[in-house]
Amino acid sequence: MISGLGTQMIRWSEPFWTGLAARGYRVIRFDNRDAGRSTHFSASPAPDFDALAIALMAGRRPDVPYTLDDMAADAISIAKAHVVGRSMGGMIAQVLASNHADRVLSLTSIMSSTGNPVLPQAAPDVMAMMMRPAPDPMIDPGGTARQIAAMAVAGDRRARLANITVPTLVIHGVDDPLIPPACGQDTARSIPNAVYLPIEGMGHDLPRDVEERTINAICNVMAGQSSAEGT
């Protein structure tokens, strides 16, 4: 289970991961690099986003402390696993399934995107709220910036997603203000035979009232069923 931008593994709620464990799965949560109790790259300065944007617009790939490919490689810990990622974690999970096809049994990408440059972006007020200093002084702002840089240089992943062959579920909130639903739809279109599950009333989070439905859908895909709802 791969967490999102700047969040720790505990962002996956206990009822959610224990619900998966109750179905007979061994659940592994972990902190991404630069988050929680994982390795922090504090020796690397926070990225200059203006310089980053200029380089990308000029068609150059800027140097960053690490990439999504590096973060995906961090997740290779056992021989084979079903991979579930949310937001940035969904992007890492996509790369994991693309780069390490022999290690991934199924893929679930939740409230994530493909890097397609024509997709709609979050509203400016939503982005402004995201960039505010975190109220928790234990959160590493430099680490979050380095994770953002890793996403920024990842580019359009659709060609890579087209090579994914494992059973895939794409879940997206219909009311997601940060990563609009079109991004989830694009993810599902980009992965052959992916199942798309839009959830009404869900934003950029997994509220308690959708956890059971989400667990059922993930378990159905992990079991190799073609329908996320199992019907």
Side-chain angles (χ1 to χ4, degrees):
M1 302 182 73
I2 309 177
S3 301
L5 175 66
T7 61
Q8 301 179 41
M9 64 180 184
I10 55 175
R11 186 69 172 136
W12 298 101
S13 72
E14 184 170 347
F16 189 80
W17 69 261
T18 57
L20 288 168
R23 306 292 182 91
Y25 293 98
R26 178 188 177 196
V27 178
I28 299 174
R29 301 178 300 165
F30 65 95
D31 288 331
N32 289 313
R33 55 173 68 189
D34 264 332
R37 296 185 177 181
S38 186
T39 301
H40 286 251
F41 287 66
S42 303
S44 299
D48 180 337
F49 287 112
D50 288 337
L52 189 70
I54 291 170
L56 291 172
M57 287 188 291
R60 293 184 285 106
R61 182 182 175 122
D63 289 331
V64 293
Y66 50 81
T67 65
L68 291 185
D69 291 80
D70 296 323
M71 299 181 81
D74 292 340
I76 297 297
S77 58
I78 58 177
K80 292 183 182 293
H82 299 280
V83 180
V84 180
R86 59 191 294 169
S87 195
M88 180 188 73
M91 301 175 194
I92 297 170
Q94 294 166 15
V95 174
L96 186 59
S98 175
N99 289 3
H100 305 280
D102 59 326
R103 309 289 288 274
V104 176
L105 296 171
S106 71
L107 166 65
T108 299
S109 177
I110 305 174
M111 49 192 171
S112 194
S113 189
T114 64
N116 182 347
V118 304
L119 289 172
Q121 304 296 312
D125 58 332
V126 175
M127 287 305 300
M129 182 176 65
M130 284 291 296
M131 298 308 292
R132 290 176 187 165
D136 184 348
M138 296 301 291
I139 294 175
D140 180 357
T144 300
R146 289 185 288 272
Q147 291 181 354
I148 292 173
M151 290 189 290
V153 302
D156 190 341
R157 295 181 302 282
R158 286 177 295 169
R160 300 173 70 176
L161 300 186
N163 295 321
I164 294 175
T165 59
V166 297
T168 298
L169 169 65
V170 178
I171 300 175
H172 215 98
V174 172
D175 302 306
D176 192 330
L178 182 61
I179 301 181
C183 300
Q185 295 165 4
D186 194 54
T187 303
R189 283 194 300 267
S190 301
I191 301 174
N193 302 312
V195 174
Y196 182 58
L197 177 60
I199 299 184
E200 296 281 348
M202 175 178 156
H204 200 70
D205 202 357
L206 281 171
R208 291 293 302 274
D209 59 353
V210 306
E211 284 183 347
E212 188 66 21
R213 181 183 179 190
T214 304
I215 289 169
N216 289 338
I218 292 172
C219 288
N220 285 336
V221 170
M222 290 194 295
Q225 297 182 24
S226 60
S227 168
E229 302 289 359
T231 57

